[in-house]
Amino acid sequence: MDKFEKQFEAYAELAVRLGVNVQPGQLVVIDAALDAAAFVRVIAEKAYDAGARMVHVEWSDAAVNRTNLLRSPVDALSEYPRWKAQGYLEMAQAGAAFIGIHTPQPGFLKDVAADRLAASQRAAQQALQPYQRLRMSAQVSWLGMLVPTQAWADQVFADLPEEQRLSALWDVVFQVTRADRPDPVEAWREHVEQLQARLTKLNDAQFTCLHYRAPGTDLTIELPEHHVWVGGGNRTATGVVTVPNIPTEECFTAPLRTGVNGTVRSTKPLYYGGKLIEDFSLTFREGRLVDFTAEVGRDVLESIITSDEGARYLGEVALVPHSSPISQTGLTFYHTLFDENASCHIALGAAYPINLQGGAEMSKEDLLQHGVNSSMVHVDFMIGSAELDIDAQTGSGEWIRLFRQGEWAD
Amino acid sequence: MDKFEKQFEAYAELAVRLGVNVQPGQLVVIDAALDAAAFVRVIAEKAYDAGARMVHVEWSDAAVNRTNLLRSPVDALSEYPRWKAQGYLEMAQAGAAFIGIHTPQPGFLKDVAADRLAASQRAAQQALQPYQRLRMSAQVSWLGMLVPTQAWADQVFADLPEEQRLSALWDVVFQVTRADRPDPVEAWREHVEQLQARLTKLNDAQFTCLHYRAPGTDLTIELPEHHVWVGGGNRTATGVVTVPNIPTEECFTAPLRTGVNGTVRSTKPLYYGGKLIEDFSLTFREGRLVDFTAEVGRDVLESIITSDEGARYLGEVALVPHSSPISQTGLTFYHTLFDENASCHIALGAAYPINLQGGAEMSKEDLLQHGVNSSMVHVDFMIGSAELDIDAQTGSGEWIRLFRQGEWAD
């Protein structure tokens, strides 16, 4: 086995053993595009090695999806098959593990009108809400990870000769996901422990407010009482420890829905449903988004914000030092799963119920009453940089330094 | 556009315009393996050209399926997702058109135990029965067609240098499906008209019994009262003319369930669920299969026959002259969709309700009372050759020559 094959296998092994942590007798559901076929086949074998009962793959094809988005009437795009949403819910209720393999195709949907894309996404989000709720409250094991495509490599490594780009991207992916380490699962154990130490500090502190300052940014985010900082691994309802994102470098919690004030400027481009939003700025008053600008993709940003009322409020605040391994590559990946782990970020839309003590058992209404947002959407965007300072207010009203120049201050 | 691309497009056009005959506003459902991706993408475009409302693709992957069949416990193989069966039924009830693209992978499942394969197939057949009933009674538009794979080409053209095989197979596929004609749809119109003339004769004659004689074969098949010979096109419940098989050269009807006596020998190999059955012989008494032999794949044949009681009875009798275009290629295709159109054949299992006057509106019980078989399975096998003679008995008891040396006698 050559080096690439070895790391390719290790990456698949991470999905099964670390990511969803497949248990004996478990159904494994893989969502993947045709481009990821070779990787999916390896995951299927590894899932059985771990004792899986059955592997079910929901395939999709970027080209057929694009044809549908371009040519189907908009009212047809607004329908998501009920039986399919029911399928996801039933598999989740049966305790399945869900592995989502993303294969970025930057620019592929640039000819699709934003309203058509939004109609399609909204239909899926609405139909899949009961299933998503189980995911966000850690009732099921799930994982999102990325597989390089030529188009993605062309974007990230535009400066390299064409024939070197894909292999360069694979190398970086193996590096930042630790698939290149002699014992990747063990390397992850150490990494998760370090995150855990940071989380313990944050949870003990129970800050009441964070204050962000950077060029174009002056934003305060209050945190709800009994908020919980989460990171690295999740423990699901059945007690299985999973790592829902590979890679992951963040400590995140829920903001107080009505406690966000000021303006924040994005520091990295954001791809949403295959469309680019860049150089944008959001202004909040008492939690609600009251103004926004965007140099690129203003219509896409608008379609996110108008998804529902909850899309105008924040649902996540995440801390990532600017020196994170992903940030150290010096690359922009144009994909949230990587870029969010290179940078402090916040998210519009739904909060994770696990970010409130007892939240996983609460109804949407209970969560709202505790100041925790709900929405059909959850869209992270990057606000971190080497110029970001964050102060934190303690329960006694004192302000302390949390981040300086993009790094933990302590 | 080069010659291959032109014929490739014409083949996709046949699926849409002739096969399921897509109507404005219709949902088009495509079942395909990943190997057929390029062809599926062209079909999707052509479907929208014809006014489709949405194209839904159910992808599958031969490699993952094989892994499941080899490694999943047999009780998991015996479960077909209910939500998925419900999905097919709902789409059929909503008037969708179903295009099944088959990509033969001969020998690919040779390591899978016959009982495991049978468990999986039986689960699917059972779960999909309500949907299949709508198909077999022409309530929906559907189509089966083939797309060449390297493995299939290796088998059919084993004598050619490896790099020529796939393109040779494509050429033959275009030829026997008339995709190589200047106006393929018009060529099909003529062909269907000729089949129609033959069907009219057979239906007017209302033969009571057929007597087959060939080396190893001496078989009588009674036909039920009010049987209907069908071929070429179907008219669906909504009046749309479809051609469910491309290619198709057969005139077929339902046998009288309890009216089959004697022995019949196969003349071509049969692939069932990826496994080979060859040189087999079946003996019937009063319709029921009472004995069988097979040089190759006896266990696979047995698993078909033991699917349910109906699998021991015949459900189709089909007449194809030995000089059919597919037969004239001189090739064995190791796939029923092609081989059955090169040869007279009969099928174990379910009969098509459309082969009885008023049958499409009858319940399973009504059909049985009229002597028309039902089963979860429907497995065609080939019994035609240049040595096959068939006599037919008229209503007045007279015997006439129907086939001589594999050809129509008149």
Side-chain angles (χ1 to χ4, degrees):
Chain A
M1 214 188 298
D2 71 10
K3 191 179 127 207
F4 174 82
E5 280 170 40
K6 200 169 154 275
Q7 298 185 351
F8 191 76
E9 295 244 339
Y11 193 40
E13 184 94 13
L14 280 176
V16 168
R17 301 276 177 182
L18 176 86
V20 290
N21 194 357
V22 171
Q23 300 296 300
Q26 198 172 22
L27 169 65
V28 175
V29 180
I30 305 173
D31 275 288
L34 271 46
D35 317 70
F39 189 61
V40 169
R41 291 171 192 148
V42 178
I43 290 190
E45 294 288 352
K46 303 259 178 219
Y48 281 111
D49 291 345
R53 173 175 163 78
M54 174 59 79
V55 176
H56 175 89
V57 187
E58 283 287 321
W59 297 101
S60 62
D61 180 52
V64 172
N65 292 349
R66 182 174 179 276
T67 300
N68 284 336
L69 285 166
L70 286 171
R71 304 197 60 184
S72 176
V74 72
D75 59 321
L77 292 176
S78 309
E79 295 160 5
Y80 185 91
R82 258 182 323 171
W83 56 268
K84 203 167 169 177
Q86 181 63 24
Y88 277 102
L89 184 60
E90 281 181 20
M91 292 190 290
Q93 287 167 338
F98 293 84
I99 301 176
I101 315 280
H102 304 278
T103 41
Q105 301 284 0
F108 195 65
L109 298 181
K110 65 177 188 304
D111 298 335
V112 175
D115 63 321
R116 297 173 63 80
L117 192 62
S120 163
Q121 286 168 332
R122 211 163 295 176
Q125 283 151 354
Q126 198 135 32
L128 294 171
Q129 254 194 310
Y131 158 69
Q132 283 296 350
R133 215 167 293 145
L134 291 180
R135 281 174 65 126
M136 291 187 82
S137 55
Q139 302 288 305
V140 295
S141 308
W142 62 274
L143 161 69
M145 67 194 305
L146 291 174
V147 161
T149 61
Q150 184 62 47
W152 185 27
D154 289 344
Q155 189 181 39
V156 177
F157 286 107
D159 296 341
L160 283 186
E162 201 177 333
E163 68 281 7
Q164 296 175 18
R165 293 172 186 164
L166 188 57
S167 118
L169 183 54
W170 269 115
D171 282 345
V172 169
V173 166
F174 291 147
Q175 179 196 324
V176 301
T177 60
R178 301 175 174 80
D180 65 346
R181 306 290 176 87
D183 185 344
V185 174
E186 183 51 36
W188 268 90
R189 230 162 252 150
E190 280 168 32
H191 170 56
V192 169
E193 247 169 50
Q194 284 166 19
L195 278 174
Q196 208 57 53
R198 187 63 74 180
L199 293 165
T200 303
K201 274 195 190 178
L202 287 167
N203 282 323
D204 289 349
Q206 283 290 308
F207 297 123
T208 55
C209 189
L210 305 179
H211 184 193
Y212 289 72
R213 270 166 327 194
T217 290
D218 187 349
L219 184 76
T220 55
I221 301 180
E222 295 173 53
L223 302 179
E225 275 186 75
H226 310 299
H227 64 266
V228 180
W229 290 90
V230 172
N234 268 357
R235 191 177 291 273
T236 67
T238 54
V240 176
V241 176
T242 67
V243 176
N245 280 179
I246 296 178
T248 186
E249 303 285 339
E250 61 179 325
C251 300
F252 67 98
T253 192
L256 181 68
R257 188 174 190 270
T258 53
V260 182
N261 286 283
T263 295
V264 63
R265 182 187 285 175
S266 69
T267 54
K268 283 178 188 280
L270 167 64
Y271 260 96
Y272 183 72
K275 305 203 91 169
L276 184 65
I277 316 170
E278 208 163 2
D279 293 327
F280 54 101
S281 178
L282 309 179
T283 300
F284 296 86
R285 193 173 308 139
E286 293 179 4
R288 193 165 194 271
L289 181 83
V290 291
D291 196 15
F292 66 96
T293 62
E295 295 297 315
V296 176
R298 196 185 186 281
D299 53 343
V300 188
L301 185 53
E302 184 163 13
S303 80
I304 295 172
I305 287 163
T306 55
S307 296
D308 56 19
E309 178 61 14
R312 287 187 171 266
Y313 290 83
L314 293 187
E316 179 184 331
V317 40
L319 302 173
V320 182
H322 192 63
S323 62
S324 93
I326 298 161
S327 184
Q328 277 175 31
T329 63
L331 299 165
T332 297
F333 290 96
Y334 306 90
H335 194 286
T336 299
L337 184 54
F338 274 45
D339 289 331
E340 73 170 0
N341 285 303
S343 172
C344 283
H345 57 274
I346 51 182
L348 288 167
Y352 288 88
I354 52 170
N355 286 133
L356 188 74
Q357 270 178 45
E361 288 79 43
M362 288 185 192
S363 69
K364 221 160 70 173
E365 293 68 30
D366 283 347
L367 287 165
L368 269 177
Q369 223 155 17
H370 286 80
V372 172
N373 193 33
S374 93
S375 167
M376 280 190 310
V377 301
H378 177 97
V379 183
D380 297 276
F381 59 98
M382 278 50 83
I383 61 170
S385 72
E387 298 168 295
L388 175 64
D389 291 345
I390 309 175
D391 290 338
Q393 190 174 32
T394 65
S396 59
E398 185 194 355
W399 285 93
I400 64 152
R401 296 144 50 107
L402 189 63
F403 263 61
R404 278 301 173 268
Q405 298 185 311
E407 300 299 323
W408 293 105
D410 58 356
Chain B
M1 212 188 296
D2 70 10
K3 192 180 125 203
F4 174 82
E5 281 170 38
K6 199 167 155 276
Q7 298 185 350
F8 191 74
E9 295 244 338
Y11 193 39
E13 184 94 14
L14 280 176
V16 168
R17 300 276 178 183
L18 176 87
V20 291
N21 193 357
V22 171
Q23 299 296 299
Q26 197 172 21
L27 169 64
V28 175
V29 180
I30 305 174
D31 275 287
L34 271 48
D35 317 71
F39 189 62
V40 169
R41 290 170 191 148
V42 178
I43 290 190
E45 294 289 351
K46 303 260 176 216
Y48 281 111
D49 291 346
R53 173 175 164 79
M54 175 58 81
V55 176
H56 175 89
V57 186
E58 283 289 321
W59 296 101
S60 62
D61 180 52
V64 173
N65 291 350
R66 180 173 180 276
T67 299
N68 284 336
L69 285 166
L70 285 171
R71 304 197 61 183
S72 178
V74 71
D75 59 319
L77 292 176
S78 308
E79 294 161 7
Y80 186 92
R82 258 182 323 172
W83 55 271
K84 201 165 172 180
Q86 180 63 22
Y88 277 101
L89 185 60
E90 280 181 21
M91 293 190 288
Q93 285 166 339
F98 293 84
I99 301 177
I101 314 282
H102 304 278
T103 41
Q105 300 284 1
F108 195 64
L109 299 181
K110 65 178 187 306
D111 298 335
V112 176
D115 62 321
R116 297 173 64 80
L117 191 63
S120 164
Q121 286 169 331
R122 211 163 294 174
Q125 283 152 355
Q126 198 135 30
L128 294 170
Q129 254 195 312
Y131 158 69
Q132 283 296 350
R133 215 168 291 145
L134 290 179
R135 282 174 64 126
M136 291 187 82
S137 56
Q139 302 288 304
V140 295
S141 306
W142 62 274
L143 161 68
M145 68 195 302
L146 289 176
V147 161
T149 61
Q150 185 63 48
W152 185 27
D154 289 343
Q155 188 181 40
V156 176
F157 286 106
D159 296 341
L160 283 185
E162 202 178 333
E163 68 281 6
Q164 296 175 18
R165 293 172 187 165
L166 188 57
S167 121
L169 184 53
W170 270 113
D171 282 345
V172 169
V173 165
F174 291 148
Q175 178 196 324
V176 301
T177 60
R178 300 175 174 79
D180 65 345
R181 306 289 176 89
D183 184 344
V185 175
E186 183 52 36
W188 268 91
R189 227 161 254 149
E190 280 169 31
H191 170 55
V192 169
E193 247 170 51
Q194 283 166 18
L195 278 174
Q196 208 57 55
R198 187 63 74 179
L199 292 165
T200 303
K201 273 195 193 176
L202 287 167
N203 283 322
D204 289 350
Q206 284 290 308
F207 296 124
T208 54
C209 188
L210 305 179
H211 183 193
Y212 289 70
R213 270 167 325 194
T217 291
D218 187 349
L219 184 76
T220 56
I221 300 179
E222 294 173 54
L223 302 179
E225 274 187 76
H226 310 300
H227 65 267
V228 181
W229 289 89
V230 173
N234 268 357
R235 190 178 291 274
T236 67
T238 55
V240 176
V241 176
T242 67
V243 176
N245 280 181
I246 296 178
T248 185
E249 303 285 339
E250 61 178 326
C251 300
F252 68 97
T253 192
L256 182 67
R257 188 175 189 271
T258 52
V260 181
N261 285 283
T263 296
V264 62
R265 182 186 288 176
S266 70
T267 54
K268 283 177 188 279
L270 166 65
Y271 261 98
Y272 183 71
K275 305 205 90 171
L276 184 64
I277 316 169
E278 208 163 1
D279 292 327
F280 55 101
S281 178
L282 309 178
T283 300
F284 297 86
R285 195 173 307 141
E286 292 179 4
R288 193 165 193 271
L289 180 84
V290 290
D291 197 15
F292 66 97
T293 63
E295 295 296 315
V296 177
R298 196 185 186 281
D299 52 343
V300 189
L301 185 54
E302 183 162 14
S303 79
I304 295 171
I305 287 163
T306 54
S307 296
D308 56 17
E309 178 62 14
R312 287 188 170 266
Y313 291 82
L314 292 186
E316 179 183 332
V317 40
L319 302 173
V320 182
H322 192 64
S323 63
S324 92
I326 298 162
S327 184
Q328 276 175 33
T329 64
L331 298 165
T332 297
F333 290 95
Y334 305 90
H335 195 288
T336 300
L337 184 54
F338 273 46
D339 288 331
E340 74 170 0
N341 285 301
S343 171
C344 284
H345 56 274
I346 52 184
L348 287 168
Y352 287 89
I354 51 171
N355 286 133
L356 188 75
Q357 271 178 47
E361 288 80 42
M362 287 185 193
S363 69
K364 220 162 71 172
E365 291 69 29
D366 282 349
L367 287 166
L368 270 177
Q369 220 153 23
H370 285 80
V372 173
N373 192 32
S374 93
S375 167
M376 281 190 310
V377 300
H378 177 97
V379 183
D380 296 277
F381 59 97
M382 279 50 84
I383 60 171
S385 72
E387 297 168 294
L388 175 65
D389 291 346
I390 308 175
D391 290 338
Q393 190 175 30
T394 64
S396 59
E398 186 193 356
W399 285 93
I400 66 155
R401 295 145 50 106
L402 189 62
F403 263 61
R404 278 300 173 269
Q405 297 185 314
E407 300 298 323
W408 294 103
D410 59 354

